[in-house]
Amino acid sequence: DAYQRHLVELAGKPLAFAEVGVQSGGSIAMWKAVLGQGVHYYGLDINPRCSQFTDTTTTIVIGDQGDTAMWDHFYGTVTNNLDILVDDGGHQAHQMGVTFHYAFQHINPGGYLITEDIFTHEQYPFLLNAAMSIGWWHGLQRLT
């Protein structure tokens, strides 16, 4: 319901869409079907076997979402901006925190950064890290 409510307005438009947690590749076709032919899907996963899903509209990056060097590579050489990023990867607070911190500044205006499954036994550290990141960016924007 949440995805339908928030993402329906983007369907049919050219989109840069990233998902952390490719796993068996099932969601790739689903996202392309729901959002339309204009989607370029960027999948990020720690499993090298996910590279098999690469095609002309699908880019797969192999790496650990908790590794800042992987995000530097992704935003520095693969794509600099995204319309949507869905984090359905490792689900540990530090992994979600790194992903959120690196992704937030690369989401295009009107885009979405979605983190799934935050209400686990580790929810507080993730929410604290997210709040700290937002506060840090807010401070930077006031300085510029």
Side-chain angles (χ1 to χ4, degrees):
D1 288 342
Y3 285 151
Q4 179 67 26
R5 182 174 51 247
H6 295 290
L7 302 183
V8 69
E9 67 193 39
L10 300 176
K13 298 177 181 175
L15 296 172
F17 178 96
E19 181 176 33
V20 178
V22 176
Q23 197 170 19
S24 61
S27 64
I28 299 171
M30 183 275 300
W31 284 117
K32 289 180 179 182
V34 168
L35 295 173
Q37 297 299 313
V39 171
H40 189 94
Y41 177 95
Y42 297 93
L44 301 105
D45 204 288
I46 199 164
N47 186 346
R49 287 182 279 174
C50 292
S51 294
Q52 69 181 310
F53 303 117
T54 298
D55 63 26
T56 57
T57 61
T58 303
T59 302
I60 302 295
V61 175
I62 304 302
D64 180 349
Q65 78 177 106
D67 180 2
T68 59
M70 189 280 301
W71 290 109
D72 288 337
H73 164 74
F74 180 72
Y75 291 117
T77 63
V78 178
T79 187
N80 190 41
N81 291 68
L82 297 167
D83 297 297
I84 302 168
L85 183 137
V86 175
D87 179 358
D88 193 16
H91 305 298
Q92 294 180 11
H94 75 278
Q95 294 169 315
M96 294 185 297
V98 169
T99 299
F100 185 91
H101 183 77
Y102 271 75
F104 195 85
Q105 58 194 328
H106 293 280
I107 301 296
N108 290 326
Y112 292 91
L113 172 53
I114 301 163
T115 305
E116 294 191 356
D117 305 320
I118 64 168
F119 293 104
T120 66
H121 65 282
E122 291 191 11
Q123 71 178 345
Y124 180 74
F126 167 70
L127 296 173
L128 178 63
N129 288 338
M132 289 172 51
S133 291
I134 292 169
W136 180 75
W137 291 308
H138 182 67
L140 285 179
Q141 289 177 344
R142 283 191 284 160
L143 294 175
T144 57

